[in-house]
PDB file of all heavy atoms in Angstrom:
ATOM      1  N   PRO A   1     125.172  93.670 117.709  1.00  0.00           N
ATOM      2  CA  PRO A   1     123.859  93.137 117.332  1.00  0.00           C
ATOM      3  C   PRO A   1     123.700  91.643 117.594  1.00  0.00           C
ATOM      4  O   PRO A   1     122.585  91.136 117.628  1.00  0.00           O
ATOM      5  CB  PRO A   1     123.767  93.446 115.828  1.00  0.00           C
ATOM      6  CG  PRO A   1     124.642  94.632 115.650  1.00  0.00           C
ATOM      7  CD  PRO A   1     125.794  94.400 116.601  1.00  0.00           C
ATOM      8  N   PHE A   2     124.792  90.939 117.803  1.00  0.00           N
ATOM      9  CA  PHE A   2     124.724  89.516 118.152  1.00  0.00           C
ATOM     10  C   PHE A   2     123.866  89.308 119.396  1.00  0.00           C
ATOM     11  O   PHE A   2     123.217  88.276 119.545  1.00  0.00           O
ATOM     12  CB  PHE A   2     126.144  88.976 118.388  1.00  0.00           C
ATOM     13  CG  PHE A   2     126.202  87.520 118.767  1.00  0.00           C
ATOM     14  CD1 PHE A   2     126.265  86.551 117.789  1.00  0.00           C
ATOM     15  CD2 PHE A   2     126.204  87.129 120.099  1.00  0.00           C
ATOM     16  CE1 PHE A   2     126.328  85.208 118.134  1.00  0.00           C
ATOM     17  CE2 PHE A   2     126.271  85.793 120.454  1.00  0.00           C
ATOM     18  CZ  PHE A   2     126.328  84.825 119.462  1.00  0.00           C
ATOM     19  N   ALA A   3     123.840  90.289 120.287  1.00  0.00           N
ATOM     20  CA  ALA A   3     123.092  90.173 121.540  1.00  0.00           C
ATOM     21  C   ALA A   3     121.585  90.307 121.343  1.00  0.00           C
ATOM     22  O   ALA A   3     120.817  89.976 122.243  1.00  0.00           O
ATOM     23  CB  ALA A   3     123.571  91.235 122.533  1.00  0.00           C
ATOM     24  N   ASP A   4     121.143  90.768 120.194  1.00  0.00           N
ATOM     25  CA  ASP A   4     119.725  90.950 119.910  1.00  0.00           C
ATOM     26  C   ASP A   4     119.223  89.740 119.127  1.00  0.00           C
ATOM     27  O   ASP A   4     119.651  89.521 117.986  1.00  0.00           O
ATOM     28  CB  ASP A   4     119.528  92.231 119.093  1.00  0.00           C
ATOM     29  CG  ASP A   4     118.076  92.563 118.830  1.00  0.00           C
ATOM     30  OD1 ASP A   4     117.242  91.631 118.753  1.00  0.00           O
ATOM     31  OD2 ASP A   4     117.774  93.758 118.691  1.00  0.00           O
ATOM     32  N   PRO A   5     118.307  88.946 119.708  1.00  0.00           N
ATOM     33  CA  PRO A   5     117.830  87.744 119.017  1.00  0.00           C
ATOM     34  C   PRO A   5     117.243  88.013 117.627  1.00  0.00           C
ATOM     35  O   PRO A   5     117.325  87.162 116.744  1.00  0.00           O
ATOM     36  CB  PRO A   5     116.754  87.187 119.951  1.00  0.00           C
ATOM     37  CG  PRO A   5     117.048  87.778 121.284  1.00  0.00           C
ATOM     38  CD  PRO A   5     117.703  89.111 121.027  1.00  0.00           C
ATOM     39  N   GLU A   6     116.685  89.191 117.416  1.00  0.00           N
ATOM     40  CA  GLU A   6     116.101  89.508 116.109  1.00  0.00           C
ATOM     41  C   GLU A   6     117.169  89.831 115.062  1.00  0.00           C
ATOM     42  O   GLU A   6     116.913  89.729 113.868  1.00  0.00           O
ATOM     43  CB  GLU A   6     115.123  90.674 116.234  1.00  0.00           C
ATOM     44  CG  GLU A   6     113.877  90.322 117.016  1.00  0.00           C
ATOM     45  CD  GLU A   6     112.884  91.465 117.090  1.00  0.00           C
ATOM     46  OE1 GLU A   6     112.924  92.365 116.226  1.00  0.00           O
ATOM     47  OE2 GLU A   6     112.069  91.454 118.015  1.00  0.00           O
ATOM     48  N   LEU A   7     118.343  90.239 115.509  1.00  0.00           N
ATOM     49  CA  LEU A   7     119.409  90.629 114.582  1.00  0.00           C
ATOM     50  C   LEU A   7     120.534  89.602 114.486  1.00  0.00           C
ATOM     51  O   LEU A   7     121.301  89.612 113.523  1.00  0.00           O
ATOM     52  CB  LEU A   7     120.007  91.973 115.008  1.00  0.00           C
ATOM     53  CG  LEU A   7     119.050  93.162 115.085  1.00  0.00           C
ATOM     54  CD1 LEU A   7     119.784  94.398 115.585  1.00  0.00           C
ATOM     55  CD2 LEU A   7     118.383  93.418 113.746  1.00  0.00           C
ATOM     56  N   LYS A   8     120.634  88.760 115.481  1.00  0.00           N
ATOM     57  CA  LYS A   8     121.760  87.830 115.620  1.00  0.00           C
ATOM     58  C   LYS A   8     122.080  87.054 114.348  1.00  0.00           C
ATOM     59  O   LYS A   8     123.235  86.936 113.953  1.00  0.00           O
ATOM     60  CB  LYS A   8     121.448  86.864 116.763  1.00  0.00           C
ATOM     61  CG  LYS A   8     122.504  85.838 117.047  1.00  0.00           C
ATOM     62  CD  LYS A   8     122.077  84.991 118.232  1.00  0.00           C
ATOM     63  CE  LYS A   8     123.146  84.032 118.638  1.00  0.00           C
ATOM     64  NZ  LYS A   8     122.778  83.347 119.900  1.00  0.00           N
ATOM     65  N   HIS A   9     121.082  86.507 113.682  1.00  0.00           N
ATOM     66  CA  HIS A   9     121.310  85.646 112.520  1.00  0.00           C
ATOM     67  C   HIS A   9     121.313  86.408 111.194  1.00  0.00           C
ATOM     68  O   HIS A   9     121.472  85.805 110.138  1.00  0.00           O
ATOM     69  CB  HIS A   9     120.288  84.504 112.496  1.00  0.00           C
ATOM     70  CG  HIS A   9     120.454  83.577 113.660  1.00  0.00           C
ATOM     71  ND1 HIS A   9     121.468  82.645 113.722  1.00  0.00           N
ATOM     72  CD2 HIS A   9     119.781  83.480 114.832  1.00  0.00           C
ATOM     73  CE1 HIS A   9     121.389  81.998 114.867  1.00  0.00           C
ATOM     74  NE2 HIS A   9     120.381  82.478 115.559  1.00  0.00           N
ATOM     75  N   LEU A  10     121.150  87.729 111.274  1.00  0.00           N
ATOM     76  CA  LEU A  10     121.237  88.570 110.083  1.00  0.00           C
ATOM     77  C   LEU A  10     122.659  89.104 109.974  1.00  0.00           C
ATOM     78  O   LEU A  10     123.494  88.830 110.834  1.00  0.00           O
ATOM     79  CB  LEU A  10     120.241  89.728 110.192  1.00  0.00           C
ATOM     80  CG  LEU A  10     118.769  89.350 110.330  1.00  0.00           C
ATOM     81  CD1 LEU A  10     117.924  90.597 110.543  1.00  0.00           C
ATOM     82  CD2 LEU A  10     118.290  88.559 109.129  1.00  0.00           C
ATOM     83  N   THR A  11     122.934  89.874 108.931  1.00  0.00           N
ATOM     84  CA  THR A  11     124.255  90.480 108.763  1.00  0.00           C
ATOM     85  C   THR A  11     124.090  91.960 108.427  1.00  0.00           C
ATOM     86  O   THR A  11     122.978  92.429 108.176  1.00  0.00           O
ATOM     87  CB  THR A  11     125.056  89.811 107.626  1.00  0.00           C
ATOM     88  OG1 THR A  11     124.527  90.226 106.359  1.00  0.00           O
ATOM     89  CG2 THR A  11     125.042  88.295 107.741  1.00  0.00           C
ATOM     90  N   GLY A  12     125.207  92.653 108.360  1.00  0.00           N
ATOM     91  CA  GLY A  12     125.200  94.056 107.978  1.00  0.00           C
ATOM     92  C   GLY A  12     124.776  94.290 106.537  1.00  0.00           C
ATOM     93  O   GLY A  12     124.600  95.422 106.113  1.00  0.00           O
ATOM     94  N   LEU A  13     124.576  93.223 105.782  1.00  0.00           N
ATOM     95  CA  LEU A  13     124.028  93.338 104.431  1.00  0.00           C
ATOM     96  C   LEU A  13     122.504  93.412 104.465  1.00  0.00           C
ATOM     97  O   LEU A  13     121.886  93.798 103.477  1.00  0.00           O
ATOM     98  CB  LEU A  13     124.488  92.156 103.562  1.00  0.00           C
ATOM     99  CG  LEU A  13     126.003  92.040 103.376  1.00  0.00           C
ATOM    100  CD1 LEU A  13     126.340  90.766 102.605  1.00  0.00           C
ATOM    101  CD2 LEU A  13     126.552  93.263 102.681  1.00  0.00           C
ATOM    102  N   ASP A  14     121.916  93.017 105.596  1.00  0.00           N
ATOM    103  CA  ASP A  14     120.460  93.101 105.777  1.00  0.00           C
ATOM    104  C   ASP A  14     120.103  94.488 106.294  1.00  0.00           C
ATOM    105  O   ASP A  14     120.805  95.045 107.145  1.00  0.00           O
ATOM    106  CB  ASP A  14     119.986  92.041 106.781  1.00  0.00           C
ATOM    107  CG  ASP A  14     120.202  90.631 106.263  1.00  0.00           C
ATOM    108  OD1 ASP A  14     119.615  90.297 105.216  1.00  0.00           O
ATOM    109  OD2 ASP A  14     120.970  89.879 106.903  1.00  0.00           O
ATOM    110  N   ALA A  15     118.997  95.030 105.790  1.00  0.00           N
ATOM    111  CA  ALA A  15     118.591  96.397 106.136  1.00  0.00           C
ATOM    112  C   ALA A  15     118.456  96.596 107.645  1.00  0.00           C
ATOM    113  O   ALA A  15     118.904  97.622 108.167  1.00  0.00           O
ATOM    114  CB  ALA A  15     117.282  96.751 105.437  1.00  0.00           C
ATOM    115  N   ALA A  16     117.881  95.639 108.360  1.00  0.00           N
ATOM    116  CA  ALA A  16     117.655  95.815 109.805  1.00  0.00           C
ATOM    117  C   ALA A  16     118.965  95.995 110.561  1.00  0.00           C
ATOM    118  O   ALA A  16     119.074  96.861 111.440  1.00  0.00           O
ATOM    119  CB  ALA A  16     116.870  94.635 110.371  1.00  0.00           C
ATOM    120  N   VAL A  17     119.964  95.197 110.245  1.00  0.00           N
ATOM    121  CA  VAL A  17     121.255  95.305 110.934  1.00  0.00           C
ATOM    122  C   VAL A  17     121.988  96.565 110.481  1.00  0.00           C
ATOM    123  O   VAL A  17     122.530  97.314 111.302  1.00  0.00           O
ATOM    124  CB  VAL A  17     122.132  94.052 110.692  1.00  0.00           C
ATOM    125  CG1 VAL A  17     123.542  94.248 111.250  1.00  0.00           C
ATOM    126  CG2 VAL A  17     121.477  92.831 111.316  1.00  0.00           C
ATOM    127  N   TYR A  18     121.995  96.812 109.181  1.00  0.00           N
ATOM    128  CA  TYR A  18     122.672  98.007 108.665  1.00  0.00           C
ATOM    129  C   TYR A  18     122.102  99.267 109.304  1.00  0.00           C
ATOM    130  O   TYR A  18     122.850 100.122 109.788  1.00  0.00           O
ATOM    131  CB  TYR A  18     122.536  98.061 107.143  1.00  0.00           C
ATOM    132  CG  TYR A  18     123.197  99.269 106.520  1.00  0.00           C
ATOM    133  CD1 TYR A  18     124.582  99.389 106.506  1.00  0.00           C
ATOM    134  CD2 TYR A  18     122.436 100.277 105.940  1.00  0.00           C
ATOM    135  CE1 TYR A  18     125.199 100.495 105.934  1.00  0.00           C
ATOM    136  CE2 TYR A  18     123.045 101.381 105.365  1.00  0.00           C
ATOM    137  CZ  TYR A  18     124.418 101.485 105.361  1.00  0.00           C
ATOM    138  OH  TYR A  18     125.024 102.577 104.802  1.00  0.00           O
ATOM    139  N   GLU A  19     120.803  99.383 109.340  1.00  0.00           N
ATOM    140  CA  GLU A  19     120.165 100.558 109.945  1.00  0.00           C
ATOM    141  C   GLU A  19     120.472 100.648 111.437  1.00  0.00           C
ATOM    142  O   GLU A  19     120.711 101.732 111.961  1.00  0.00           O
ATOM    143  CB  GLU A  19     118.658 100.529 109.690  1.00  0.00           C
ATOM    144  CG  GLU A  19     118.320 100.763 108.224  1.00  0.00           C
ATOM    145  CD  GLU A  19     116.889 100.400 107.854  1.00  0.00           C
ATOM    146  OE1 GLU A  19     116.073 100.120 108.758  1.00  0.00           O
ATOM    147  OE2 GLU A  19     116.598 100.393 106.640  1.00  0.00           O
ATOM    148  N   HIS A  20     120.487  99.509 112.119  1.00  0.00           N
ATOM    149  CA  HIS A  20     120.803  99.486 113.550  1.00  0.00           C
ATOM    150  C   HIS A  20     122.241  99.959 113.794  1.00  0.00           C
ATOM    151  O   HIS A  20     122.488 100.798 114.666  1.00  0.00           O
ATOM    152  CB  HIS A  20     120.618  98.074 114.104  1.00  0.00           C
ATOM    153  CG  HIS A  20     121.044  97.926 115.520  1.00  0.00           C
ATOM    154  ND1 HIS A  20     120.245  98.268 116.581  1.00  0.00           N
ATOM    155  CD2 HIS A  20     122.208  97.498 116.050  1.00  0.00           C
ATOM    156  CE1 HIS A  20     120.901  98.057 117.707  1.00  0.00           C
ATOM    157  NE2 HIS A  20     122.093  97.586 117.404  1.00  0.00           N
ATOM    158  N   VAL A  21     123.166  99.423 113.010  1.00  0.00           N
ATOM    159  CA  VAL A  21     124.571  99.811 113.172  1.00  0.00           C
ATOM    160  C   VAL A  21     124.741 101.295 112.886  1.00  0.00           C
ATOM    161  O   VAL A  21     125.370 102.028 113.647  1.00  0.00           O
ATOM    162  CB  VAL A  21     125.495  98.956 112.260  1.00  0.00           C
ATOM    163  CG1 VAL A  21     126.901  99.533 112.200  1.00  0.00           C
ATOM    164  CG2 VAL A  21     125.529  97.514 112.746  1.00  0.00           C
ATOM    165  N   MET A  22     124.164 101.761 111.791  1.00  0.00           N
ATOM    166  CA  MET A  22     124.356 103.154 111.397  1.00  0.00           C
ATOM    167  C   MET A  22     123.591 104.130 112.293  1.00  0.00           C
ATOM    168  O   MET A  22     123.925 105.313 112.336  1.00  0.00           O
ATOM    169  CB  MET A  22     123.989 103.349 109.925  1.00  0.00           C
ATOM    170  CG  MET A  22     124.941 102.622 108.981  1.00  0.00           C
ATOM    171  SD  MET A  22     126.717 102.817 109.373  1.00  0.00           S
ATOM    172  CE  MET A  22     126.905 104.583 109.325  1.00  0.00           C
ATOM    173  N   ALA A  23     122.592 103.656 113.022  1.00  0.00           N
ATOM    174  CA  ALA A  23     121.879 104.515 113.971  1.00  0.00           C
ATOM    175  C   ALA A  23     122.619 104.635 115.296  1.00  0.00           C
ATOM    176  O   ALA A  23     122.277 105.466 116.137  1.00  0.00           O
ATOM    177  CB  ALA A  23     120.467 103.968 114.215  1.00  0.00           C
ATOM    178  N   THR A  24     123.664 103.828 115.471  1.00  0.00           N
ATOM    179  CA  THR A  24     124.461 103.870 116.690  1.00  0.00           C
ATOM    180  C   THR A  24     125.265 105.165 116.729  1.00  0.00           C
ATOM    181  O   THR A  24     125.906 105.536 115.735  1.00  0.00           O
ATOM    182  CB  THR A  24     125.414 102.662 116.748  1.00  0.00           C
ATOM    183  OG1 THR A  24     124.644 101.465 116.661  1.00  0.00           O
ATOM    184  CG2 THR A  24     126.224 102.662 118.032  1.00  0.00           C
ATOM    185  N   ARG A  25     125.199 105.829 117.859  1.00  0.00           N
ATOM    186  CA  ARG A  25     125.942 107.085 118.013  1.00  0.00           C
ATOM    187  C   ARG A  25     127.418 106.890 117.682  1.00  0.00           C
ATOM    188  O   ARG A  25     128.061 105.986 118.211  1.00  0.00           O
ATOM    189  CB  ARG A  25     125.774 107.571 119.453  1.00  0.00           C
ATOM    190  CG  ARG A  25     126.336 108.936 119.683  1.00  0.00           C
ATOM    191  CD  ARG A  25     125.969 109.414 121.060  1.00  0.00           C
ATOM    192  NE  ARG A  25     127.104 110.164 121.562  1.00  0.00           N
ATOM    193  CZ  ARG A  25     127.369 110.324 122.826  1.00  0.00           C
ATOM    194  NH1 ARG A  25     126.609 109.803 123.750  1.00  0.00           N
ATOM    195  NH2 ARG A  25     128.417 111.020 123.190  1.00  0.00           N
ATOM    196  N   GLY A  26     127.919 107.706 116.777  1.00  0.00           N
ATOM    197  CA  GLY A  26     129.324 107.664 116.387  1.00  0.00           C
ATOM    198  C   GLY A  26     129.604 106.868 115.131  1.00  0.00           C
ATOM    199  O   GLY A  26     130.686 107.005 114.556  1.00  0.00           O
ATOM    200  N   ALA A  27     128.668 106.043 114.670  1.00  0.00           N
ATOM    201  CA  ALA A  27     128.926 105.205 113.501  1.00  0.00           C
ATOM    202  C   ALA A  27     129.075 106.036 112.227  1.00  0.00           C
ATOM    203  O   ALA A  27     130.026 105.844 111.466  1.00  0.00           O
ATOM    204  CB  ALA A  27     127.833 104.157 113.335  1.00  0.00           C
ATOM    205  N   GLU A  28     128.150 106.939 111.981  1.00  0.00           N
ATOM    206  CA  GLU A  28     128.217 107.759 110.763  1.00  0.00           C
ATOM    207  C   GLU A  28     129.466 108.640 110.754  1.00  0.00           C
ATOM    208  O   GLU A  28     130.172 108.674 109.734  1.00  0.00           O
ATOM    209  CB  GLU A  28     126.952 108.593 110.588  1.00  0.00           C
ATOM    210  CG  GLU A  28     126.950 109.460 109.342  1.00  0.00           C
ATOM    211  CD  GLU A  28     126.955 108.698 108.021  1.00  0.00           C
ATOM    212  OE1 GLU A  28     126.503 107.541 107.984  1.00  0.00           O
ATOM    213  OE2 GLU A  28     127.425 109.262 107.017  1.00  0.00           O
ATOM    214  N   PRO A  29     129.786 109.334 111.858  1.00  0.00           N
ATOM    215  CA  PRO A  29     131.029 110.118 111.835  1.00  0.00           C
ATOM    216  C   PRO A  29     132.270 109.261 111.588  1.00  0.00           C
ATOM    217  O   PRO A  29     133.186 109.696 110.885  1.00  0.00           O
ATOM    218  CB  PRO A  29     131.072 110.782 113.215  1.00  0.00           C
ATOM    219  CG  PRO A  29     129.650 110.843 113.648  1.00  0.00           C
ATOM    220  CD  PRO A  29     129.013 109.603 113.078  1.00  0.00           C
ATOM    221  N   LEU A  30     132.313 108.052 112.139  1.00  0.00           N
ATOM    222  CA  LEU A  30     133.457 107.174 111.898  1.00  0.00           C
ATOM    223  C   LEU A  30     133.540 106.803 110.424  1.00  0.00           C
ATOM    224  O   LEU A  30     134.618 106.843 109.830  1.00  0.00           O
ATOM    225  CB  LEU A  30     133.375 105.908 112.763  1.00  0.00           C
ATOM    226  CG  LEU A  30     134.478 104.874 112.518  1.00  0.00           C
ATOM    227  CD1 LEU A  30     135.865 105.468 112.736  1.00  0.00           C
ATOM    228  CD2 LEU A  30     134.264 103.653 113.391  1.00  0.00           C
ATOM    229  N   ALA A  31     132.414 106.454 109.819  1.00  0.00           N
ATOM    230  CA  ALA A  31     132.413 106.105 108.393  1.00  0.00           C
ATOM    231  C   ALA A  31     132.884 107.280 107.545  1.00  0.00           C
ATOM    232  O   ALA A  31     133.672 107.110 106.607  1.00  0.00           O
ATOM    233  CB  ALA A  31     131.023 105.641 107.959  1.00  0.00           C
ATOM    234  N   GLN A  32     132.415 108.472 107.875  1.00  0.00           N
ATOM    235  CA  GLN A  32     132.814 109.654 107.110  1.00  0.00           C
ATOM    236  C   GLN A  32     134.304 109.938 107.271  1.00  0.00           C
ATOM    237  O   GLN A  32     135.000 110.221 106.292  1.00  0.00           O
ATOM    238  CB  GLN A  32     131.988 110.861 107.541  1.00  0.00           C
ATOM    239  CG  GLN A  32     130.548 110.777 107.115  1.00  0.00           C
ATOM    240  CD  GLN A  32     129.731 111.965 107.590  1.00  0.00           C
ATOM    241  OE1 GLN A  32     130.267 112.987 108.010  1.00  0.00           O
ATOM    242  NE2 GLN A  32     128.414 111.829 107.532  1.00  0.00           N
ATOM    243  N   LEU A  33     134.789 109.866 108.503  1.00  0.00           N
ATOM    244  CA  LEU A  33     136.203 110.109 108.760  1.00  0.00           C
ATOM    245  C   LEU A  33     137.070 109.058 108.071  1.00  0.00           C
ATOM    246  O   LEU A  33     138.090 109.386 107.455  1.00  0.00           O
ATOM    247  CB  LEU A  33     136.471 110.120 110.263  1.00  0.00           C
ATOM    248  CG  LEU A  33     137.910 110.389 110.685  1.00  0.00           C
ATOM    249  CD1 LEU A  33     138.325 111.799 110.279  1.00  0.00           C
ATOM    250  CD2 LEU A  33     138.049 110.219 112.188  1.00  0.00           C
ATOM    251  N   ALA A  34     136.655 107.806 108.157  1.00  0.00           N
ATOM    252  CA  ALA A  34     137.412 106.734 107.510  1.00  0.00           C
ATOM    253  C   ALA A  34     137.436 106.909 105.996  1.00  0.00           C
ATOM    254  O   ALA A  34     138.468 106.695 105.354  1.00  0.00           O
ATOM    255  CB  ALA A  34     136.823 105.379 107.886  1.00  0.00           C
ATOM    256  N   ALA A  35     136.311 107.320 105.424  1.00  0.00           N
ATOM    257  CA  ALA A  35     136.259 107.553 103.978  1.00  0.00           C
ATOM    258  C   ALA A  35     137.205 108.685 103.595  1.00  0.00           C
ATOM    259  O   ALA A  35     137.950 108.583 102.614  1.00  0.00           O
ATOM    260  CB  ALA A  35     134.825 107.865 103.546  1.00  0.00           C
ATOM    261  N   TYR A  36     137.182 109.754 104.359  1.00  0.00           N
ATOM    262  CA  TYR A  36     138.069 110.897 104.099  1.00  0.00           C
ATOM    263  C   TYR A  36     139.531 110.468 104.181  1.00  0.00           C
ATOM    264  O   TYR A  36     140.345 110.786 103.309  1.00  0.00           O
ATOM    265  CB  TYR A  36     137.763 112.006 105.106  1.00  0.00           C
ATOM    266  CG  TYR A  36     138.585 113.253 104.928  1.00  0.00           C
ATOM    267  CD1 TYR A  36     138.271 114.181 103.942  1.00  0.00           C
ATOM    268  CD2 TYR A  36     139.674 113.507 105.763  1.00  0.00           C
ATOM    269  CE1 TYR A  36     139.030 115.336 103.773  1.00  0.00           C
ATOM    270  CE2 TYR A  36     140.434 114.656 105.602  1.00  0.00           C
ATOM    271  CZ  TYR A  36     140.110 115.568 104.609  1.00  0.00           C
ATOM    272  OH  TYR A  36     140.858 116.703 104.451  1.00  0.00           O
ATOM    273  N   LEU A  37     139.879 109.722 105.225  1.00  0.00           N
ATOM    274  CA  LEU A  37     141.246 109.231 105.389  1.00  0.00           C
ATOM    275  C   LEU A  37     141.634 108.298 104.242  1.00  0.00           C
ATOM    276  O   LEU A  37     142.731 108.393 103.692  1.00  0.00           O
ATOM    277  CB  LEU A  37     141.396 108.497 106.726  1.00  0.00           C
ATOM    278  CG  LEU A  37     142.729 107.796 106.948  1.00  0.00           C
ATOM    279  CD1 LEU A  37     143.862 108.798 107.031  1.00  0.00           C
ATOM    280  CD2 LEU A  37     142.674 106.951 108.214  1.00  0.00           C
ATOM    281  N   THR A  38     140.730 107.428 103.868  1.00  0.00           N
ATOM    282  CA  THR A  38     141.001 106.472 102.799  1.00  0.00           C
ATOM    283  C   THR A  38     141.291 107.178 101.481  1.00  0.00           C
ATOM    284  O   THR A  38     142.258 106.848 100.780  1.00  0.00           O
ATOM    285  CB  THR A  38     139.803 105.516 102.634  1.00  0.00           C
ATOM    286  OG1 THR A  38     139.596 104.847 103.879  1.00  0.00           O
ATOM    287  CG2 THR A  38     140.048 104.511 101.539  1.00  0.00           C
ATOM    288  N   VAL A  39     140.470 108.157 101.143  1.00  0.00           N
ATOM    289  CA  VAL A  39     140.684 108.914  99.911  1.00  0.00           C
ATOM    290  C   VAL A  39     142.023 109.663  99.988  1.00  0.00           C
ATOM    291  O   VAL A  39     142.787 109.693  99.026  1.00  0.00           O
ATOM    292  CB  VAL A  39     139.508 109.877  99.650  1.00  0.00           C
ATOM    293  CG1 VAL A  39     139.835 110.876  98.554  1.00  0.00           C
ATOM    294  CG2 VAL A  39     138.253 109.074  99.302  1.00  0.00           C
ATOM    295  N   GLY A  40     142.323 110.230 101.153  1.00  0.00           N
ATOM    296  CA  GLY A  40     143.599 110.919 101.335  1.00  0.00           C
ATOM    297  C   GLY A  40     144.782 109.986 101.188  1.00  0.00           C
ATOM    298  O   GLY A  40     145.778 110.322 100.533  1.00  0.00           O
ATOM    299  N   LEU A  41     144.692 108.805 101.784  1.00  0.00           N
ATOM    300  CA  LEU A  41     145.772 107.820 101.653  1.00  0.00           C
ATOM    301  C   LEU A  41     145.950 107.404 100.196  1.00  0.00           C
ATOM    302  O   LEU A  41     147.067 107.244  99.716  1.00  0.00           O
ATOM    303  CB  LEU A  41     145.486 106.584 102.514  1.00  0.00           C
ATOM    304  CG  LEU A  41     145.623 106.758 104.015  1.00  0.00           C
ATOM    305  CD1 LEU A  41     145.108 105.519 104.739  1.00  0.00           C
ATOM    306  CD2 LEU A  41     147.056 107.050 104.402  1.00  0.00           C
ATOM    307  N   HIS A  42     144.851 107.242  99.502  1.00  0.00           N
ATOM    308  CA  HIS A  42     144.910 106.866  98.092  1.00  0.00           C
ATOM    309  C   HIS A  42     145.594 107.957  97.280  1.00  0.00           C
ATOM    310  O   HIS A  42     146.409 107.671  96.395  1.00  0.00           O
ATOM    311  CB  HIS A  42     143.500 106.580  97.566  1.00  0.00           C
ATOM    312  CG  HIS A  42     143.482 106.010  96.199  1.00  0.00           C
ATOM    313  ND1 HIS A  42     143.118 106.732  95.095  1.00  0.00           N
ATOM    314  CD2 HIS A  42     143.804 104.763  95.749  1.00  0.00           C
ATOM    315  CE1 HIS A  42     143.201 105.971  94.027  1.00  0.00           C
ATOM    316  NE2 HIS A  42     143.610 104.766  94.387  1.00  0.00           N
ATOM    317  N   ASP A  43     145.276 109.201  97.573  1.00  0.00           N
ATOM    318  CA  ASP A  43     145.914 110.321  96.868  1.00  0.00           C
ATOM    319  C   ASP A  43     147.414 110.370  97.166  1.00  0.00           C
ATOM    320  O   ASP A  43     148.222 110.577  96.261  1.00  0.00           O
ATOM    321  CB  ASP A  43     145.250 111.644  97.250  1.00  0.00           C
ATOM    322  CG  ASP A  43     143.857 111.785  96.666  1.00  0.00           C
ATOM    323  OD1 ASP A  43     143.472 110.975  95.793  1.00  0.00           O
ATOM    324  OD2 ASP A  43     143.127 112.704  97.092  1.00  0.00           O
ATOM    325  N   ILE A  44     147.781 110.173  98.422  1.00  0.00           N
ATOM    326  CA  ILE A  44     149.195 110.182  98.814  1.00  0.00           C
ATOM    327  C   ILE A  44     149.938 109.029  98.144  1.00  0.00           C
ATOM    328  O   ILE A  44     151.083 109.180  97.722  1.00  0.00           O
ATOM    329  CB  ILE A  44     149.340 110.088 100.354  1.00  0.00           C
ATOM    330  CG1 ILE A  44     148.847 111.374 101.004  1.00  0.00           C
ATOM    331  CG2 ILE A  44     150.781 109.789 100.745  1.00  0.00           C
ATOM    332  CD1 ILE A  44     148.691 111.272 102.513  1.00  0.00           C
ATOM    333  N   ALA A  45     149.274 107.890  98.015  1.00  0.00           N
ATOM    334  CA  ALA A  45     149.894 106.699  97.419  1.00  0.00           C
ATOM    335  C   ALA A  45     150.004 106.809  95.898  1.00  0.00           C
ATOM    336  O   ALA A  45     150.487 105.881  95.248  1.00  0.00           O
ATOM    337  CB  ALA A  45     149.092 105.455  97.796  1.00  0.00           C
TER     338      ALA A  45
END
């Protein structure tokens, strides 16, 4: 998003950037997989 002048000075805490990042193909599956792995690691630990 740094390449987009409208998003460059915002962060992932701002709705526009968050929505842009999460609308990117593969972002939601990565978040879900990472969450699943994280919970599993926590259980193993």
